[in-house]
Amino acid sequence: MELLDIFKELVKIPSPSMGEKAVAEKIAEILSGAGISVRCDNYGNVYAEFDGGNPDKPSLLLSSHMDVVGDDSPVNIVENGDFIETDKKRTLGADDKAGVAAILKLLLDIKEEADSLSAGQKPLYGKVEAVFTRDEENSMTGIENVEFNRLNSEYILVLDSDKLGNFEISGAGYIKLTISVKTPYGGHSGLDISKPERLNAAKIIAEIIEKVPQGVQKADETGTITSINLGSVIGGGVENALYEAVKRNLKGAEAVEFVAKNSMSNIINTSAFAHYSLRSSDIKAKDDLIAKIEEILRDFNKKYDGFAAAKLDIEEHLPIFEKSDDEFLIETAQKAARGAGIDLKISSFHAGAETHIYANRKNAAGKAFKPVLAGIANVFNMHSADEKIDVQSYKKGYEFLKQFLKEI
């Protein structure tokens, strides 16, 4: 089977998050039909492995996810010049079936080459393991349920970046921070406004917001390392307006504007909240930033002791994917990129991926995984009906992947 044939066969199968069964069955059918070992775990993740026969090469794990953004409606493919897209009625699913198809093609190719070796001829490839996960787009429950203790590889390529040549060696963890301010008294904005002890929580939280940093806090040659962003501020008498907005079935910007215009203004607010996202691929930089915010809150609480209290709640949504000191994958990728004739862009990415989970787990031998997020095709407008994949870049990306396996 050719790469594009496998890809088109896979994308024609709708596979929304937690609805990947048909794709998993197709993967198993393709691999088992070629005599390649394949199995499925109790959660629905699919595993495959093939030993290319060269014991001098380290084992490599390739990983991609089976689910796509979209529903279970038909996927009608349109081939438009050097692009594959849809009829614009839904997503294509190149994220991440481009990765899935490339792994399948690689396994088929090395199996065919191994079968054709003559006596005494040294194999080009070592052992390859593959993991095809479910539910990456929604909640990452698939990767969380992977049987890590049954995987032997230490080095991992997660084929889920959207640009050919991307080689992303670290990624930001994602933390939600909620700062709350509570005051004990409150009151009527007319009758009690003259009483100095009745502080307005929605007003004084602004003192904290002013001091908490915003934007990029650390960067280097690979890109943004640490950032913080104020996502929302909620204070005071919004309860009645929220209830009314829900009752009227208002949504989006219309609901926000309704609440803003109809919140109570005749109360001295006793609660306010500021909600932040903190992203970092550097543990120390993340810890330093949180310590700075905690110091701001300590100073605030000292200033308003007895009249207001601020608190910080920290909720980790995705662990940090820190750069490994082992540069074997980088060195191998540089050689493979030269052999395949592509430009390699070594960088950090400021978002989440399955690399983050792998980087914080260990294999069957108790060794920490060393993952990288790699791009093997130019995919445009991901997660939209305008999604499309550049065919020529995809072919080059596959050659890079095969060359990588030879170099490793």
Side-chain angles (χ1 to χ4, degrees):
M1 297 179 72
E2 296 301 319
L3 174 66
L4 293 182
D5 293 333
I6 299 172
F7 173 73
K8 288 185 285 187
E9 192 165 352
L10 292 178
V11 294
K12 286 178 182 176
I13 305 171
S15 57
S17 299
M18 302 307 290
E20 306 92 344
K21 184 179 179 182
V23 167
E25 290 173 346
K26 176 57 68 174
I27 291 170
E29 175 190 317
I30 291 171
L31 293 176
S32 60
I36 296 171
S37 173
V38 60
R39 66 180 179 87
C40 187
D41 64 23
N42 291 333
Y43 197 74
N45 298 308
V46 180
Y47 306 80
E49 70 174 55
F50 181 76
D51 193 340
N54 191 328
D56 298 327
K57 292 178 176 286
S59 176
L60 177 68
L61 172 64
L62 301 172
S63 180
S64 290
H65 63 87
M66 298 181 288
D67 63 318
V68 306
V69 170
D71 54 25
D72 58 1
S73 60
V75 185
N76 299 312
I77 294 175
V78 176
E79 297 188 52
N80 183 9
D82 279 337
F83 295 95
I84 296 175
E85 52 193 346
T86 69
D87 56 2
K88 309 297 184 182
K89 293 183 179 179
R90 60 154 298 141
T91 57
L92 175 65
D95 173 22
D96 187 25
K97 287 176 182 173
V100 175
I103 296 172
L104 294 178
K105 174 62 174 170
L106 186 69
L107 289 169
L108 294 177
D109 280 357
I110 64 174
K111 171 69 163 58
E112 183 179 353
E113 290 183 33
D115 289 345
S116 65
L117 286 174
S118 57
Q121 192 175 359
K122 188 172 183 179
L124 290 174
Y125 307 107
K127 184 176 182 180
V128 178
E129 295 181 296
V131 175
F132 306 99
T133 59
R134 64 186 312 198
D135 192 33
E136 188 271 352
E137 298 290 4
N138 187 34
S139 302
M140 285 200 186
T141 58
I143 187 68
E144 289 284 3
N145 283 277
V146 161
E147 296 172 343
F148 300 105
N149 62 353
R150 295 184 65 178
L151 299 173
N152 297 296
S153 302
E154 184 178 354
Y155 298 107
I156 304 175
L157 293 187
V158 177
L159 305 183
D160 194 21
S161 186
D162 65 340
K163 290 294 177 286
L164 174 63
N166 277 2
F167 206 73
E168 296 167 304
I169 58 175
S170 63
Y174 178 44
I175 295 173
K176 288 185 177 182
L177 304 177
T178 302
I179 297 171
S180 59
V181 170
K182 301 290 181 69
T183 58
Y185 301 117
H188 191 282
S189 65
L191 300 176
D192 300 311
I193 198 72
S194 63
K195 300 172 182 177
E197 75 278 5
R198 296 181 186 255
L199 299 178
N200 189 310
K203 171 67 171 70
I204 59 176
I205 197 173
E207 295 181 23
I208 296 174
I209 294 170
E210 183 182 11
K211 293 177 180 177
V212 172
Q214 166 69 26
V216 176
Q217 303 301 302
K218 182 178 179 180
D220 63 15
E221 69 279 359
T222 65
T224 300
I225 301 299
T226 304
S227 72
I228 184 169
N229 180 67
L230 175 60
S232 64
V233 180
I234 299 175
V238 298
E239 295 90 342
N240 292 344
L242 283 171
Y243 174 77
E244 185 64 25
V246 170
K247 192 166 72 171
R248 297 187 185 195
N249 199 30
L250 300 178
K251 296 178 181 177
E254 187 180 18
V256 172
E257 184 175 356
F258 178 87
V259 172
K261 289 182 176 179
N262 292 279
S263 295
M264 296 176 68
S265 60
N266 63 346
I267 62 171
I268 299 172
N269 299 305
T270 58
S271 64
F273 305 86
H275 193 52
Y276 290 84
S277 65
L278 191 164
R279 300 178 186 270
S280 181
S281 54
D282 183 309
I283 291 176
K284 185 178 185 304
K286 178 262 296 183
D287 290 343
D288 288 348
L289 182 52
I290 291 176
K292 182 175 183 179
I293 295 170
E294 289 173 336
E295 183 179 0
I296 291 169
L297 266 58
R298 281 195 298 271
D299 291 343
F300 177 92
N301 287 335
K302 184 176 180 181
K303 176 181 178 181
Y304 291 112
D305 185 31
F307 297 96
K311 186 180 74 166
L312 176 66
D313 288 320
I314 302 172
E315 184 180 354
E316 182 181 78
H317 275 243
L318 193 67
I320 286 175
F321 161 34
E322 278 203 298
K323 178 183 179 298
S324 172
D325 293 331
D326 185 340
E327 299 204 344
F328 177 66
L329 288 180
I330 295 175
E331 293 165 356
T332 303
Q334 289 169 333
K335 294 176 186 176
R338 287 193 293 269
I342 69 168
D343 294 326
L344 193 71
K345 182 185 177 185
I346 298 171
S347 63
S348 175
F349 63 108
H350 212 56
E354 291 180 324
T355 45
H356 294 60
I357 309 302
Y358 279 121
N360 289 276
R361 298 291 194 276
K362 294 181 179 180
N363 66 9
K367 292 183 178 180
F369 291 112
K370 297 179 175 67
V372 164
L373 190 72
I376 56 166
N378 293 329
V379 181
F380 302 93
N381 310 314
M382 288 196 314
H383 298 182
S384 78
D386 292 319
E387 183 184 0
K388 60 183 180 180
I389 185 170
D390 182 321
V391 170
Q392 296 306 316
S393 72
Y394 191 24
K395 291 179 179 178
K396 283 188 175 181
Y398 179 72
E399 288 307 313
F400 165 77
L401 184 60
K402 198 167 183 181
Q403 189 68 32
F404 189 97
L405 196 59
K406 290 178 181 177
E407 296 291 347
I408 201 169

